[in-house]
Amino acid sequence: QVQLVESGGGLVQAGGSLRLSCAASGRTFSSFAMGWFRQAPGKEREFVAAISQYGGNTYYADSVRGRFTISRDNAKNTVYLQMNSLKPEDTAVYDCAADPTPRRTLAIGSHEYIYWGQGTQVTVSS
C-alpha cells in the first residue's frame, strides 16, 4: 500500500508559478513511476506529466510541455511538479499517482496508475 499526499496548490495570477509536491509513504517509492493528472470542473481527468522510477525519463502532455517540469527526490519520497507561465486553463484539481507496473514506456492513462493522492486545487486568475 502507498499513501500519497499532495501540497502546494493555491491561487496564482496568469503568468505566475507554483510548485506542487507529492509525498509518498508505505512501499518503496523508487519502485514506482509517478504521474500527475488534473481535472477541471465539468471535464474529464487528463494526463499532465510522468516520470520514471529514477527520474531518467519524463513525458508531458502537449498542453504543458515547456512550461511544467516533473522531478522526483527518492531520498525524500517526493515527486514535484514545477508549473511556470500558468494560464487560466491550467485551473484544476491536480492529483499525483503511482504506477507500480514495470513498463517500457511511461503510462499516460489514469487506469494504469494504482495509487492516488487526494488532490490539490490550483486556480489561475486572468
Side-chain angles (χ1 to χ4, degrees):
Q1 190 71 14
V2 174
Q3 294 78 44
L4 303 174
V5 179
E6 300 99 333
S7 61
L11 173 64
V12 64
Q13 289 188 332
S17 298
L18 282 175
R19 188 175 81 156
L20 305 183
S21 299
C22 173
S25 61
R27 293 174 58 186
T28 304
F29 179 67
S30 61
S31 66
F32 299 109
M34 298 295 296
W36 285 96
F37 290 77
R38 67 186 182 186
Q39 187 167 19
K43 295 187 177 181
E44 292 188 354
R45 177 183 283 166
E46 65 173 350
F47 169 79
V48 175
I51 188 167
S52 58
Q53 286 82 346
Y54 291 94
N57 189 22
T58 58
Y59 187 76
Y60 298 91
D62 289 343
S63 58
V64 306
R65 188 174 291 116
R67 299 188 297 122
F68 291 11
T69 302
I70 188 171
S71 62
R72 66 189 297 163
D73 185 339
N74 286 349
K76 296 182 178 180
N77 285 1
T78 302
V79 62
Y80 304 97
L81 186 67
Q82 177 67 44
M83 305 185 295
N84 298 329
S85 302
L86 282 161
K87 305 175 181 180
E89 51 263 44
D90 294 319
T91 295
V93 174
Y94 284 72
D95 294 289
C96 70
D99 174 16
T101 303
R103 305 180 194 275
R104 298 186 64 181
T105 59
L106 291 168
I108 64 172
S110 61
H111 65 280
E112 297 174 289
Y113 289 80
I114 305 302
Y115 304 106
W116 291 82
Q118 83 289 349
T120 186
Q121 176 70 46
V122 172
T123 303
V124 184
S125 63
S126 57

